Amino acid sequence: MHFLPGIENHGKRIFLFDLDGTITAEESLAEIGKSFHLSPEMIDLTNQTIKGNVPFVESFIRRVEILKKIPVSSIRERMTKIALLTDIVNFIKENADICRVVTSNVDEWIGDLTNDIGCKYSASEGLVVDDKLVKVTKIFKKRGCTAL
């Protein structure tokens, strides 16, 4: 069993939920790309990564680079409107003390969404200046629950 930094389990089992495709009905970065008319490259990168043709970290960095031109506040707002799988979200809300969201998405983009879901979460982190993501400072890797 892997433990996330800062998460106390006090002997309880903790349920870890991936954000994309487990809590959301679609891949969020691809949906953001569509919303801001950046979709062809975003969708291709997402699909190639899911198929294992592009390493995750490389794909993630490239997708973040594409989205960096969009104001952080606009992405955060769009993320709160992404389609969710309600049965999963309801389970998490009812069991928030033993549920955690784990995602490689950038905290500055998904913070409002994860707060709405109602449990603790671990995500990648970035440096934001004047409502723009300047750079990713930590990439959260779900496999083994570690951060780069």
Side-chain angles (χ1 to χ4, degrees):
M1 174 180 272
H2 297 284
F3 295 96
L4 301 177
I7 294 179
E8 301 289 331
N9 77 332
H10 302 290
K12 296 180 188 175
R13 289 189 186 261
I14 301 292
F15 293 91
L16 303 178
F17 292 88
D18 183 17
L19 183 66
D20 286 316
T22 302
I23 296 172
T24 67
E26 60 256 329
E27 292 292 321
S28 59
L29 293 184
E31 284 301 308
I32 292 168
K34 282 185 210 174
S35 295
F36 295 100
H37 310 290
L38 304 169
S39 60
E41 189 174 2
M42 291 292 292
I43 291 170
D44 182 55
L45 273 169
T46 300
N47 290 336
Q48 291 301 318
T49 304
I50 290 169
K51 292 176 184 175
N53 297 333
V54 178
F56 171 77
V57 171
E58 176 188 333
S59 171
F60 178 73
I61 290 169
R62 287 170 54 191
R63 289 181 287 160
V64 167
E65 284 299 315
I66 293 167
L67 294 174
K68 279 169 66 171
K69 61 183 99 175
I70 308 299
V72 169
S73 59
S74 297
I75 293 175
R76 282 179 81 99
E77 181 180 343
R78 174 61 183 95
M79 285 299 297
T80 63
K81 296 175 181 153
I82 201 155
L84 301 176
L85 299 171
T86 54
D87 289 343
I88 300 292
V89 172
N90 289 339
F91 176 87
I92 293 170
K93 286 182 176 193
E94 292 169 9
N95 300 281
D97 61 322
I98 58 168
C99 293
R100 306 293 182 266
V101 174
V102 291
T103 181
S104 297
N105 276 315
V106 180
D107 177 43
E108 291 75 10
W109 290 342
I110 56 101
D112 292 343
L113 172 62
T114 51
N115 288 335
D116 289 346
I117 292 169
C119 72
K120 294 181 182 177
Y121 66 95
S122 293
S124 297
E125 297 173 5
L127 173 64
V128 175
V129 176
D130 296 328
D131 202 28
K132 297 283 184 181
L133 181 66
V134 176
K135 68 178 181 176
V136 174
T137 57
K138 178 181 84 172
I139 298 174
F140 181 80
K141 292 179 69 178
K142 295 172 281 190
R143 184 167 300 182
C145 297
T146 61
L148 294 176

